[in-house]
Amino acid sequence: MATTKDYRLGEFTFPRGWFMIADAEELNTHKPLAVRFLGKDFALYRGRESGKVVLLDAYCPHMKTHLAAPNDTSYVVLDGGGSNVEGDGIRCPYHAWRFGPDGKCNDIPYHEGSIPATASVKSWPVVESLGAIWLWHDPEGGEPEWDHPSLPQWDDPAWVRWKFDHLGILEQHPQEVIDNICDYGHLSPIHGSTVEKYENEFKGHNAIQRQCGPHRTLVGPDGVSPILHTITIYHGPGVLISHLTGLYDAVMMITHTPVEDGSVKVWHALLVKSPGGNDTATLPDTIAARQFQESARLAFAQDFEVWTNKGPCLNGLFIPSDGPFMKARIWYKQFYNPRAMKQEFLEQCEGYYVPKGAVPYTDKEPVAA
Ligand code: FES
Ligand SMILES: [Fe+2]
C-alpha cells in the first residue's frame, strides 16, 4: 500500500483534524474497547460514574499490558462484573494498577507510599456527538482548529437518527477517498447519475461539491429517483457531510480515519427527515429512513468496490474534463503540514472550479482549474 510519503502530502504521517474512532453504541456495555488508529493502540471506555468517554494510550507503563484488550480470565475483570472499568478509571488486568480518566495511576493495591509521577498514560481529547466518538488529532499538539462534527437535525424529532454502517478497513491511503470529492467523471459510470450541474469549491478547512441530476441507485421504493441535489462538504480531512434533497431530505455522513499509514476505517450513516412529513418521526418513518440509508450505502459501495482493488493514484492522467483533482490534493496537504504553512496551500487552491463542458451549480464565477 502507498504511504503519505508516496503521495508527497507533507511532513506529518497522519493529518490534523477530527476523526471518528467509534460508534457510541460500541460503548453500551461497561467493557473497554481496544482500538487502533493513526498507527497507535488505544483503550477506549465509558466511565461508569460520569458516563463520559475516555481515550487512553493502550499500554500500561508498568509492564506494557494492553488496558483494554479482551480479557475473560483476570480476577480484576471477573470481580469487576466482566469489566476492568472502575468508576471513571480503568484497572490494568495484570497487576491491578488503576488509571484515572486523566491517565494518571491513582491506585496500586499492593504498594504503600507514593506512586511515581511517571506511572501515567496519555489521555486524549474526545467528544461524543452524532452517535459517534471523535478524537481531535494534531501532530503539533494544538487545540481544535474548528468545531467537532454536529448537526442541528440530530436533536430535531422530525428527523430519524442514523445507525452507523460499519464498512471496515479499506487498504488504501485516505487520499484515494478524498479524490472522490471532485470526481465529476465517475458520477455517471459508477452511480448512474445524469449530472445536470456540477461544481467544486475549496475554502479553508472545507472542500465542497455541489451537483444535481437524476440517480439510478439512490431511488425510492418504486425504483424512481427525482432530481437529486447534493451539497457535499468535507469538514477537515476525515468527515464528509452531504445534504441531500430529492426523494427525501437527508444528511449523509461518511467518515474515514487512518489506521496505519496507507489504510483507513470507514463508516457511513444517513439522517432522514420524516418521509411521512410528521413533526415527530413515527415507526413507518424509521422503516422508510432505514431503507433510504440502505440505498445510500449501496451508492457508496459502488465507490468502495473500486477502491478495494485499485492501485494507488500517485500520478494520475487527468484531463480538463475531469474535476479539479490537483486542487483537491493541494487543499488536502494543509492537514499534513504545520498550521503556519496552511495559507500557502490555500492560496493555491481556494475558489470555484467547474470541469470543462459542465454546467456550474451556482452562478458564481469559476476559477480555471
Ligand atoms: S502491567 Fe499493568 S499493572 Fe502491571
Ligand atoms: Fe462516488
Side-chain angles (χ1 to χ4, degrees):
M1 61 197 173
T3 64
T4 293
K5 238 194 194 97
D6 296 328
Y7 288 90
R8 295 187 289 274
L9 285 163
E11 64 180 79
F12 306 141
T13 305
F14 299 111
R16 177 174 68 255
W18 286 102
F19 291 102
M20 181 167 164
I21 54 166
D23 176 344
E25 285 197 359
E26 294 174 274
L27 296 174
N28 278 353
T29 73
H30 290 302
K31 280 186 196 285
L33 210 60
V35 296
R36 184 173 172 82
F37 293 106
L38 308 159
K40 279 173 77 69
D41 291 313
F42 299 96
L44 180 69
Y45 65 91
R46 188 182 293 286
R48 286 184 168 195
E49 240 164 61
S50 66
K52 285 212 178 97
V53 175
V54 178
L55 182 72
L56 302 178
D57 270 350
Y59 297 107
C60 176
H62 182 218
M63 289 174 68
K64 302 298 171 196
T65 295
H66 196 305
L67 295 171
N71 184 301
D72 299 320
T73 54
S74 163
Y75 280 108
V76 169
V77 175
L78 294 171
D79 293 345
S83 166
N84 54 329
V85 175
E86 195 180 294
D88 283 346
I90 188 166
R91 219 179 252 288
C92 178
Y94 206 6
H95 311 94
W97 293 23
R98 188 182 62 198
F99 300 86
D102 58 358
K104 293 197 174 99
C105 179
N106 55 24
D107 185 44
I108 302 177
Y110 58 93
H111 171 70
E112 277 175 22
S114 65
I115 294 171
T118 47
S120 70
V121 285
K122 184 174 162 66
S123 175
W124 295 76
V126 286
V127 172
E128 185 166 1
S129 173
L130 302 176
I133 313 300
W134 305 92
L135 163 69
W136 170 256
H137 174 255
D138 183 349
E140 294 176 285
E143 291 296 307
E145 195 180 323
W146 59 91
D147 287 344
H148 63 78
S150 70
L151 288 165
Q153 294 91 334
W154 184 255
D155 292 313
D156 183 336
W159 287 70
V160 179
R161 287 185 174 183
W162 56 47
K163 274 187 168 300
F164 281 100
D165 294 314
H166 291 236
L167 302 180
I169 292 177
L170 176 69
E171 299 288 344
Q172 291 286 354
H173 190 279
Q175 176 68 75
E176 300 289 334
V177 181
I178 291 284
D179 283 342
N180 205 239
I181 191 67
C182 60
D183 195 347
Y184 170 70
H186 91 299
L187 292 170
S188 169
I190 280 285
H191 301 299
S193 314
T194 319
V195 184
E196 293 179 353
K197 294 178 178 182
Y198 182 95
E199 70 189 23
N200 282 110
E201 183 188 359
F202 304 101
K203 198 172 188 303
H205 68 272
N206 295 130
I208 305 159
Q209 179 201 84
R210 302 182 187 88
Q211 71 90 38
C212 65
H215 199 283
R216 282 166 63 187
T217 310
L218 210 53
V219 294
D222 52 1
V224 176
S225 155
I227 303 282
L228 175 72
H229 289 252
T230 63
I231 312 286
T232 304
I233 306 174
Y234 261 107
H235 298 262
V239 183
L240 174 146
I241 292 180
S242 185
H243 298 264
L244 280 59
T245 45
L247 184 63
Y248 308 134
D249 284 354
V251 182
M252 180 174 70
M253 185 166 78
I254 295 172
T255 66
H256 67 267
T257 305
V259 177
E260 310 293 346
D261 184 7
S263 65
V264 284
K265 193 163 184 183
V266 189
W267 293 266
H268 168 268
L270 193 76
L271 207 59
V272 184
K273 190 172 185 182
S274 160
N278 301 305
D279 290 341
T280 299
T282 60
L283 184 62
D285 283 335
T286 302
I287 293 167
R290 294 278 178 266
Q291 279 171 353
F292 198 48
Q293 174 162 336
E294 181 56 11
S295 299
R297 189 193 65 76
L298 288 173
F300 186 49
Q302 293 171 316
D303 294 301
F304 214 87
E305 186 173 24
V306 171
W307 296 341
T308 304
N309 300 300
K310 76 187 293 299
C313 178
L314 299 176
N315 293 300
L317 199 171
F318 301 129
I319 55 172
S321 307
D322 275 323
F325 287 111
M326 295 320 292
K327 297 291 176 186
R329 287 186 169 206
I330 294 168
W331 170 82
Y332 191 42
K333 283 183 179 182
Q334 65 177 300
F335 309 111
Y336 284 87
N337 289 284
R339 283 192 210 198
M341 287 172 70
K342 183 173 72 174
Q343 209 47 40
E344 224 174 278
F345 296 113
L346 292 179
E347 276 163 20
Q348 297 172 61
C349 70
E350 283 193 320
Y352 288 84
Y353 301 92
V354 179
K356 188 167 182 249
V359 179
Y361 189 89
T362 56
D363 51 9
K364 300 217 171 79
E365 215 25 60
V367 182

